[in-house]
Amino acid sequence: MSSEHAENTGPEHTDPVAAEPAGTTPDPTPDAGEEQEDARDAVAEGTDAADGTSADRIWDVVVVGAGPAGASAAYAAAVAGRRVLLLEKAELPRYKTCGGGIIGPSRDALPPGFELPLLDRVHAVTFSMDGRFARTRRSRRMLFGLVNRPEFDAQLVEHAQKAGAELRTGVAVTRVEQHGPGVPDRRTVAVVLADGERVLARAVVGADGSAGRIGAHVGVKLGQVDLGLESEIPVPPSVAEDWKGRVLIDWGPMPGSYGWVFPKGDTLTVGVISARGEGAATKRYLEDFVARLGLAGFEPTISSGHLTRCRTDDSPLSRGRVLVCGDAAGLLEPWTREGISYALRSGRLAGEWAVRVAEAHDAVDARRQALNYAFAIKAGLGVEMAVGRRMLAVFERRPGLLHAVITGVRPAWKAFTDITRGSATLGGMVRSNGLARRALELLDRRMDTSAGHGPAGRGVPPRAQDGTERSGDDGSRAKGQDGGVTGSTGSAGTPGDTGTTGNA
């Protein structure tokens, strides 16, 4: 994809300056304060009061990061008719460590007319426990689709550009300034690039990842950190055909860990994830996982790793005229660590509310719009994350129970299919199902999940209700898990395993 690199190509800010009342005479000797006000007004109008040259132009919305969250935010702001600049430090397309599963909520959050570049359509899921007790559930209807992130992300950016957003790639953001000599007025934010250039905006959306500059500026707090390792493994046609239309989910040997195999034509995406602090064990899990699948003899084209980070319940989502979304806000599903749907949904909301922040004429109004954005996130994605934390706690303590339920209880499998297709959410199910709600409330009293910091040992120290750190077991938890499953012990990698169950 081509990108535009020309400096200062953004539209000039055109807010009118109030004219002097008729019949008044300007003071021929303005004081220093008036001179400073004149200078700020001149910069806002696109001229430098000192020498009359053109100053940095002001965008309505600047979005930092061109992943799914950033592209969605840029599209939402641009389609509203605003002047939008999308900044990306890499050249597009670029690889991201990600399974590439597109579930129903992701599909529903895509721009109108977006055609998914699907490489496979999943109709069956094999579940196993560290290679044992494999059972396959099948569905007549597609459960979800699989994409390669470089093509998917690039297509999202193209839609944002078609809506009117301008893209600049190869630019790194070093910091954001909302006050100081480099900021012309209180309605403006300065995004400072690595080469010293200042990009000015009325609102900024941070979508630059969980370790990005914008999340640090806002003060995002993290309550769960996990390590994901992944390989892209080309396979011959015979192997690819065995996996076509079917994915594998393997509950792993460490508490809260799991592995996956996602087929994408002639390539299998194979990965594992576990709590940070278990790096060596996570690497061994991936190696053992690949070996028992019979894939060790194939050379990966890409091997990569990535930290996923979940926000705490009280983590901020904005600061002044700066909003964060997607990974930059720590928004992802805590149990599965699925992040694409969270990125797309939060990005769209961030773009819509950034338009309102950009239109705010004072700090009070800007704050009001930012709080409305936070409320929208917490009322939807926040509720889903809270339930996801509880599910992770159940999974860490009783993986065998969860495996037995999802593979052997028809309503549980139907719930799984409804969530993946987008006809229901985990949070919605808990709200509408009294039995599920009471069960999770009981778990809250027994496990450290209600404070919004995630189950103990998820890459951060567990915390007491008063905020003080408690001694935890991060990195040193026992590897034994509750088996508790009877039945077939077919190989997780074979499509004809004897644990196959009927259609749903």
Side-chain angles (χ1 to χ4, degrees):
M1 177 190 300
S2 63
S3 60
E4 297 184 30
H5 294 269
E7 294 188 4
N8 301 329
T9 55
E12 186 173 358
H13 177 66
T14 56
D15 279 356
V17 178
E20 297 227 27
T24 62
T25 302
D27 187 345
T29 57
D31 60 23
E34 289 173 330
E35 289 178 349
Q36 292 173 357
E37 287 292 332
D38 291 342
R40 284 196 295 267
D41 291 341
V43 172
E45 286 301 312
T47 60
D48 191 326
D51 59 14
T53 60
S54 177
D56 289 333
R57 298 177 178 182
I58 301 179
W59 297 83
D60 290 323
V61 178
V62 168
V63 180
V64 182
S72 295
Y75 174 85
V79 81
R82 298 306 184 268
R83 298 157 298 189
V84 180
L85 177 63
L86 178 58
L87 301 176
E88 168 59 42
K89 66 180 179 180
E91 298 294 341
L92 300 177
R94 79 282 186 268
Y95 180 81
K96 287 288 186 180
T97 305
C98 177
I102 304 298
I103 60 176
S106 299
R107 181 198 61 233
D108 296 341
L110 294 169
F114 189 97
E115 294 186 7
L116 279 167
L118 294 181
L119 297 173
D120 204 341
R121 292 167 169 81
V122 176
H123 288 81
V125 182
T126 297
F127 297 94
S128 64
M129 289 194 60
D130 200 16
R132 302 171 299 143
F133 312 116
R135 292 186 177 182
T136 298
R137 300 300 304 254
R138 301 186 184 278
S139 173
R140 294 183 181 90
R141 297 167 54 200
M142 186 181 82
L143 297 173
F144 56 93
L146 299 173
V147 300
N148 277 335
R149 279 289 302 275
E151 290 79 10
F152 177 69
D153 291 9
Q155 193 168 320
L156 284 171
V157 170
E158 288 176 0
H159 273 257
Q161 289 178 287
K162 290 177 181 177
E166 180 174 323
L167 172 69
R168 288 182 61 186
T169 61
V171 289
V173 172
T174 58
R175 65 184 184 278
V176 174
E177 296 177 354
Q178 300 196 61
H179 306 284
V183 182
D185 57 56
R186 294 180 180 179
R187 291 187 58 206
T188 306
V189 180
V191 179
V192 184
L193 307 184
D195 63 1
E197 178 187 355
R198 292 174 180 272
V199 178
L200 303 181
R202 296 303 186 200
V204 171
V205 175
D208 53 341
S210 59
R213 302 287 186 176
I214 312 303
H217 173 80
V218 168
V220 173
K221 295 186 289 184
L222 305 173
Q224 175 184 330
V225 185
D226 295 279
L227 170 65
L229 302 177
E230 188 174 79
S231 295
E232 301 287 348
I233 304 177
V235 293
S238 59
V239 176
E241 185 63 28
D242 287 342
W243 284 98
K244 185 176 181 180
R246 180 178 67 99
V247 303
L248 169 64
I249 297 176
D250 178 72
W251 314 125
M254 300 88 72
S257 66
Y258 76 95
W260 62 89
V261 178
F262 286 177
K264 300 173 183 177
D266 60 358
T267 298
L268 299 179
T269 297
V270 182
V272 300
I273 194 164
S274 186
R276 184 179 66 174
E278 307 245 16
T282 305
K283 184 179 180 181
R284 284 195 303 273
Y285 176 29
L286 178 60
E287 293 171 348
D288 294 343
F289 188 42
V290 169
R292 70 167 176 258
L293 291 171
L295 302 174
F298 304 113
E299 186 69 24
T301 55
I302 298 175
S303 294
S304 62
H306 178 66
L307 290 177
T308 64
R309 298 173 170 94
C310 286
R311 67 187 296 274
T312 63
D313 280 344
D314 61 347
S315 181
L317 291 163
S318 67
R319 178 180 175 184
R321 290 177 175 266
V322 179
L323 312 178
V324 286
C325 61
D327 285 348
L331 292 167
L332 71 158
E333 205 287 311
W335 175 29
T336 65
R337 290 73 131 188
E338 189 276 324
I340 294 178
S341 73
Y342 280 69
L344 292 169
R345 290 181 285 172
S346 65
R348 183 190 66 222
L349 288 171
E352 293 171 352
W353 287 106
V355 168
R356 295 171 173 83
V357 171
E359 294 171 344
H361 288 280
D362 56 49
V364 173
D365 191 21
R367 176 62 175 164
R368 182 184 303 114
Q369 304 306 331
L371 287 174
N372 287 337
Y373 165 68
F375 177 80
I377 291 292
K378 292 177 181 179
L381 299 180
V383 171
E384 293 181 30
M385 289 185 69
V387 177
R389 288 189 196 98
R390 301 176 186 180
M391 291 301 299
L392 177 59
V394 174
F395 176 49
E396 285 194 326
R397 303 290 179 90
R398 301 295 301 276
L401 174 63
L402 186 138
H403 179 76
V405 168
I406 202 169
T407 59
V409 179
R410 186 175 180 83
W413 169 246
K414 184 178 185 304
F416 177 89
T417 62
D418 287 346
I419 292 170
T420 57
R421 291 182 182 129
S423 58
T425 66
L426 194 56
M429 287 181 177
V430 171
R431 285 195 299 266
S432 62
N433 188 309
L435 180 61
R437 183 170 59 253
R438 287 191 294 273
L440 287 178
E441 288 172 352
L442 177 62
L443 286 168
D444 272 346
R445 291 194 291 271
R446 299 181 61 184
M447 302 178 186
D448 184 22
T449 61
S450 59
H453 299 291
R458 302 309 304 169
V460 290
R463 294 180 182 274
Q465 293 295 331
D466 61 2
T468 58
E469 292 189 2
R470 299 199 302 264
S471 58
D473 55 358
D474 181 28
S476 59
R477 291 168 294 167
K479 293 183 179 180
Q481 288 192 346
D482 172 18
V485 180
T486 60
S488 166
T489 57
S491 168
T494 57
D497 64 79
T498 57
T500 298
T501 58
N503 291 323

